[in-house]
Amino acid sequence: MEHVKCECGHVNPHGTAFCESCGKPLADLGEKLILDMRYEGSARRSQTYKKTMIDQIWAFFSSVKVGVALIVITLIASAIGTIFPQQMYIPPNVDPAEYYKQQYGWAGKLYYELGFNNLYGSWWYILLIALIGVSLVICSLDRVVPLYRALKRQGVKRHPRFLERQRLFGVSHVSDLDKTMAVLKERLAARRYHVREEDGHLLAEKGRFSRWGPYVNHIGLIIFLIGAMLRSVPGMYIDRVMWIPEGETKEIPGTNGRYFLKSEKFIFETYEKGKDNEVFNAAIDRVGNGMIAKNYQTNVVLYKRVGPVIPGAKPKLEKVKEYPIRVNEPLEFDHYALYQVDFRLNEPKAMSFQLADKQSGETFGTVTVDLYDPKESYNLGHGYRVELLSYFPDFEFDEDGNPSTKSRVPNNPAFVFKMYAPDRPKGEVSFVAIRQTIEPFGNNKYKMAFAGLQTRNVSGLTVRRDFTLWILGVGGAIFMIGLIQGMYWNHRRIWVQRVNGELWIAAHTNKNWFGLKNELRRLLDGTGVMMPADQLENDKKAGQGGQVHGHGTA
Amino acid sequence: MKKQQRLVMRTAILLVLLAAIGYTIYTNFFTEKTAVAVGSTAPDFVLTDLKGHEHRLSDYRGKGVFLNFWGTWCKPCEREMPYMNELYPIYKKQGVEILAVNVGEPKLSVEKFAERFGLTFPIVIDRQDQVLNAYNVGPLPTTFLIDKNGEVKQIITGTMTKEDIERHLESIKP
């Protein structure tokens, strides 16, 4: 807890590796040749005291090891999440619990129970991401504050033990110290170093702001995470699906009944030989004529509801605009965007039948049944009449063997007709399905002969409104700025001091030592000052280190 | 004094972080996915029944409303229909209405279904999915229990036994 006073008079917080001001190592370095300059040897406070519970929690999240562990765990979980398909890619009509068990056995069952089937939505995954966020905030705070302090308080004059334990260090004997110092000062300034002078010693520094790069980067990440978090706030993020058939007007989901859409037409175009530019011919020959999609388009009319919104009531609509929605060209209005994402071609809309005499083949008129809103009775005149007794849009036999429907979509329509004719006043019942006719009460005289199918195309659109996008954009931009700041600039420092009539030079950079050495070479060229040695490399070359310079300084 | 400040600062930062995480987890996992939450006012709507009568939800203020979303193809819906039909006249006298909203099927299908089970409570058809959207109904059947003040008391998804229905009707008696 107690502070440590250095011999230079500066008072350092407990846990500081070397004096903030003069750089004299405070802890016993032993045989260590080069000082660890990370965080300027400052005391990360969380590592020094662990008193209350809050401090302990703080210390836990302040650990980079913990942060890395969280990231690795998230990485592994994400990787496991790719082993079996995510829930959104399995068939929509099946029970996921059953599906995973059936397809992948016990592993699938476990996968489902642990929530890997919907990884990004599982509580523990969100918690992991959130903990990474917490770790990011606390790690950054815990390092940026002491680092700022240390860089702000660094003295010009450094302790000889600090200098000789820098990676780049050299001692020179020059004839005129004052003149050499003056030349160096001038050259440093010319190379856009910020030079401070104290008692004839120099500290030249440039690119300090690059040290803040990682923290700016983290701020960007945190803003990004906040943006992602805001998606769960109601109204901030809407992502809905809308299926709309040609000719229909429907409410746009997610707009609280305020907007309606009419589909005029769905257009699907392909590349065709003869019609399209010749350059496409080779590709068309390879894949097949009419096989390559060229355009998916829904021509729509957007309506706004006027007056109060009462769901179910016939809306009073005001036309806003007509627009062709194409892939990547969404219809945009009031912060909403409608994207073309899917389609179904030739969906049954109406079916026609002719009332016919089974033997003679004579027909007595046509009945057209709207598959979405069939009428009950169809009068054909001259005493001929057809009644629709039952209608099954998506026909199947249920468990009890009764005809029933699987859904409200006319995928496989079936009908029970009662046919009346002048010679059959009580009517004949006929069950008509696709390629199938059943006469439940014996042999009929008449039949409903299939006479045609009207179809229409259905467009699948995505309704999207995202108020978090700009936050994600800002976060991403700050992230990049921080990255560039830390990557493309280096924090370089050069200390030039007079020690016992000698010229001592030491230099440090947070990255790109090659660049620093080049700069020093140019700086010292012709001054008579020796190029400082790279002690780390010398150390490596020597194989066995330990021999520092012969300067035993107190 | 400095130590005190540090503790306060750390506690404050940790609390803010905890609140953010808590909120995210809460909204993602502990709130209703439906647009209409328990305790909120049920959105008003107007739909026409098979006989051509308009039903507006707000006209039922002062009465409990058992609002049932269903489809003719849905077997669980079919199972609970006869029970609802049985209990309807009893609870109507006590101020609880049953209103069945069909999810936009052809009138003919709905009529035939109602005939087959002899259903007497009003059945309205949501042709444009407007009410379905407003209530953000997912699986069928889904039932909203609405009290005399128009407040949603409970949301039930899945089929109900006769006892269930009776208990639910009882719970929204004015």
Side-chain angles (χ1 to χ4, degrees):
Chain A
M1 228 13 161
E2 68 290 358
H3 294 292
V4 184
K5 192 170 178 182
C6 177
E7 62 179 39
C8 72
H10 184 75
V11 178
N12 295 284
H14 175 77
T16 309
F18 49 84
C19 174
E20 286 176 323
S21 176
C22 76
K24 185 189 174 205
L26 296 170
D28 182 27
L29 291 172
E31 288 292 294
K32 252 183 154 177
L33 184 68
I34 294 168
L35 277 181
D36 183 2
M37 291 289 284
R38 264 197 313 167
Y39 314 118
E40 300 296 303
S42 60
R44 268 154 293 143
R45 294 201 247 163
S46 50
Q47 304 210 322
T48 53
Y49 355 69
K50 291 183 180 121
K51 283 204 78 182
T52 60
M53 236 239 306
I54 293 288
D55 289 332
Q56 271 168 356
I57 295 171
W58 190 271
F60 176 76
F61 282 111
S62 169
S63 159
V64 170
K65 275 183 198 151
V66 168
V68 169
L70 285 171
I71 291 169
V72 169
I73 293 168
T74 311
L75 221 61
I76 292 170
S78 306
I80 293 173
T82 65
I83 294 177
F84 300 138
Q86 289 288 296
Q87 196 171 315
M88 60 183 127
Y89 299 117
I90 71 169
N93 302 321
V94 295
D95 177 21
E98 276 299 305
Y99 180 85
Y100 283 99
K101 207 171 114 191
Q102 236 173 45
Q103 295 284 315
Y104 310 108
W106 65 268
K109 188 167 177 266
L110 197 67
Y111 197 76
Y112 177 78
E113 275 166 9
L114 294 177
F116 281 105
N117 57 315
N118 184 14
L119 190 67
Y120 300 140
S122 68
W123 65 268
W124 56 265
Y125 192 84
I126 291 182
L127 191 67
L128 271 175
I129 300 288
L131 290 180
I132 289 176
V134 172
S135 159
L136 219 56
V137 170
I138 294 179
C139 274
S140 299
L141 273 177
D142 233 31
R143 282 163 180 76
V144 76
V145 174
L147 178 64
Y148 176 79
R149 224 178 88 106
L151 285 177
K152 203 176 161 213
R153 293 188 184 180
Q154 63 177 332
V156 173
K157 186 175 186 301
R158 288 274 157 150
H159 195 276
R161 286 226 323 250
F162 175 86
L163 297 176
E164 69 183 14
R165 280 169 192 265
Q166 290 300 317
R167 182 172 158 182
L168 287 180
F169 172 66
V171 176
S172 297
H173 299 273
V174 286
S175 47
D176 189 345
L177 255 177
D178 286 332
K179 202 183 138 202
T180 312
M181 286 299 254
V183 170
L184 284 179
K185 189 179 174 187
E186 199 178 302
R187 287 194 182 184
L188 283 165
R191 296 200 142 263
R192 281 193 275 167
Y193 273 86
H194 175 70
V195 186
R196 280 161 65 199
E197 195 169 2
E198 200 181 287
D199 300 335
H201 305 297
L202 294 182
L203 165 56
E205 185 176 12
K206 78 172 171 191
R208 192 197 278 185
F209 91 111
S210 104
R211 297 292 289 268
W212 316 128
Y215 308 103
V216 172
N217 173 274
H218 286 176
I219 289 169
L221 256 180
I222 289 158
I223 292 173
F224 199 95
L225 281 177
I226 290 171
M229 191 191 89
L230 284 176
R231 286 200 163 182
S232 56
V233 175
M236 288 295 279
Y237 180 69
I238 289 165
D239 184 11
R240 302 280 291 266
V241 180
M242 171 178 198
W243 286 95
I244 185 163
E246 287 171 330
E248 278 201 25
T249 304
K250 283 184 128 187
E251 181 190 313
I252 302 174
T255 63
N256 300 322
R258 286 182 299 118
Y259 287 98
F260 283 71
L261 195 74
K262 183 180 183 195
S263 165
E264 299 278 15
K265 195 166 179 50
F266 174 76
I267 299 163
F268 173 51
E269 287 170 306
T270 55
Y271 285 95
E272 278 170 57
K273 225 171 176 178
K275 279 188 178 172
D276 287 295
N277 196 317
E278 278 176 20
V279 297
F280 300 121
N281 281 359
I284 292 170
D285 281 340
R286 201 176 61 240
V287 184
N289 202 10
M291 296 297 284
I292 309 168
K294 184 180 176 184
N295 184 25
Y296 304 99
Q297 175 177 335
T298 308
N299 292 342
V300 297
V301 186
L302 176 70
Y303 294 99
K304 193 180 164 78
R305 185 184 214 153
V306 285
V309 177
I310 305 163
K314 202 172 160 25
K316 250 171 111 188
L317 298 178
E318 196 174 72
K319 186 170 159 182
V320 180
K321 63 172 156 184
E322 287 177 31
Y323 190 82
I325 301 178
R326 305 170 73 186
V327 176
N328 292 333
E329 291 171 27
L331 164 63
E332 287 173 332
F333 60 97
D334 193 11
H335 304 292
Y336 289 95
L338 289 181
Y339 291 88
Q340 174 72 50
V341 287
D342 208 350
F343 65 96
R344 289 198 297 257
L345 289 180
N346 304 322
E347 216 167 66
K349 160 70 178 150
M351 248 180 182
S352 300
F353 300 93
Q354 280 178 326
L355 179 63
D357 187 310
K358 275 163 73 181
Q359 287 222 300
S360 68
E362 196 188 341
T363 61
F364 307 96
T366 306
V367 168
T368 301
V369 183
D370 183 331
L371 298 175
Y372 286 88
D373 194 13
K375 278 199 302 180
E376 194 167 3
S377 177
Y378 304 82
N379 200 346
L380 299 173
H382 308 290
Y384 293 94
R385 191 160 60 83
V386 175
E387 256 178 38
L388 181 54
L389 296 185
S390 282
Y391 168 51
F392 309 99
D394 199 355
F395 167 70
E396 64 165 5
F397 284 108
D398 66 11
E399 298 118 39
D400 310 327
N402 294 322
S404 68
T405 184
K406 260 188 285 195
S407 73
R408 58 172 164 159
V409 186
N411 291 322
N412 181 24
F415 313 86
V416 179
F417 288 115
K418 198 166 192 183
M419 305 165 289
Y420 294 91
D423 55 345
R424 290 288 185 278
K426 283 186 180 164
E428 291 178 337
V429 175
S430 176
F431 175 86
V432 181
I434 290 173
R435 291 166 185 255
Q436 187 180 8
T437 305
I438 299 166
E439 295 172 359
F441 305 114
N443 239 347
N444 290 348
K445 181 169 189 263
Y446 296 96
K447 66 169 179 180
M448 298 298 284
F450 178 73
L453 177 70
Q454 272 180 45
T455 61
R456 60 182 177 178
N457 301 329
V458 183
S459 308
L461 307 174
T462 287
V463 184
R464 183 71 60 76
R465 186 176 72 176
D466 193 348
F467 287 141
T468 67
L469 212 54
W470 68 272
I471 302 174
L472 301 183
V474 168
I478 293 176
F479 179 99
M480 281 311 292
I481 290 169
L483 209 62
I484 291 164
Q485 192 178 335
M487 291 286 273
Y488 292 103
W489 278 268
N490 323 131
H491 180 214
R492 293 177 179 174
R493 270 174 296 173
I494 299 170
W495 294 272
V496 188
Q497 289 191 201
R498 317 156 188 251
V499 181
N500 304 329
E502 297 169 336
L503 185 95
W504 284 34
I505 242 184
H508 181 262
T509 179
N510 63 336
K511 52 171 63 80
N512 188 9
W513 289 86
F514 182 78
L516 178 63
K517 281 187 229 170
N518 264 344
E519 186 153 50
L520 270 172
R521 221 166 271 131
R522 260 176 241 149
L523 206 68
L524 301 177
D525 187 38
T527 57
V529 180
M530 281 210 335
M531 175 68 193
D534 187 332
Q535 305 202 73
L536 195 68
E537 256 170 37
N538 291 350
D539 206 28
K540 268 188 219 149
K541 274 181 204 149
Q544 293 243 312
Q547 189 66 31
V548 199
H549 281 252
H551 288 275
T553 36
Chain B
M1 215 53 234
K2 255 185 119 181
K3 246 164 55 189
Q4 199 66 33
Q5 256 179 7
R6 192 190 69 225
L7 189 67
V8 169
M9 195 70 187
R10 283 182 180 181
T11 311
I13 292 170
L14 282 175
L15 279 178
V16 168
L17 292 171
L18 190 73
I21 296 172
Y23 179 78
T24 309
I25 302 269
Y26 174 77
T27 50
N28 274 297
F29 299 101
F30 298 100
T31 50
E32 302 282 341
K33 281 282 178 278
T34 45
V36 182
V38 171
S40 65
T41 305
D44 196 12
F45 62 82
V46 182
L47 288 173
T48 309
D49 71 12
L50 298 174
K51 291 171 191 127
H53 300 303
E54 275 200 349
H55 292 263
R56 184 165 180 165
L57 186 67
S58 51
D59 293 342
Y60 288 101
R61 282 288 159 90
K63 289 178 177 181
V65 179
F66 183 95
L67 186 66
N68 178 262
F69 288 87
W70 69 285
T72 61
W73 72 87
C74 146
K75 291 286 165 194
C77 307
E78 190 178 311
R79 274 195 288 276
E80 62 188 16
M81 282 290 180
Y83 306 136
M84 283 158 58
N85 204 31
E86 238 176 276
L87 296 167
Y88 172 61
I90 304 165
Y91 280 90
K92 191 178 166 66
K93 279 182 217 139
Q94 303 179 40
V96 180
E97 287 285 341
I98 292 179
L99 197 55
V101 180
N102 175 277
V103 294
E105 287 184 275
K107 197 176 172 202
L108 183 90
S109 310
V110 181
E111 272 171 355
K112 296 288 173 193
F113 185 93
E115 263 170 46
R116 183 147 70 96
F117 291 96
L119 303 179
T120 51
F121 49 79
I123 298 170
V124 293
I125 302 176
D126 183 24
R127 291 250 30 175
Q128 282 187 308
D129 293 348
Q130 286 190 50
V131 181
L132 212 63
N133 280 338
Y135 281 76
N136 205 358
V137 172
L140 294 179
T142 296
T143 304
F144 293 81
L145 301 180
I146 301 165
D147 74 0
K148 61 178 192 301
N149 301 318
E151 189 181 292
V152 178
K153 281 291 167 200
Q154 208 183 327
I155 302 167
I156 305 120
T157 51
T159 192
M160 293 174 277
T161 61
K162 192 179 170 187
E163 290 73 38
D164 289 335
I165 298 174
E166 203 162 4
R167 189 160 43 81
H168 292 319
L169 288 168
E170 199 69 39
S171 74
I172 46 172
K173 268 201 315 202

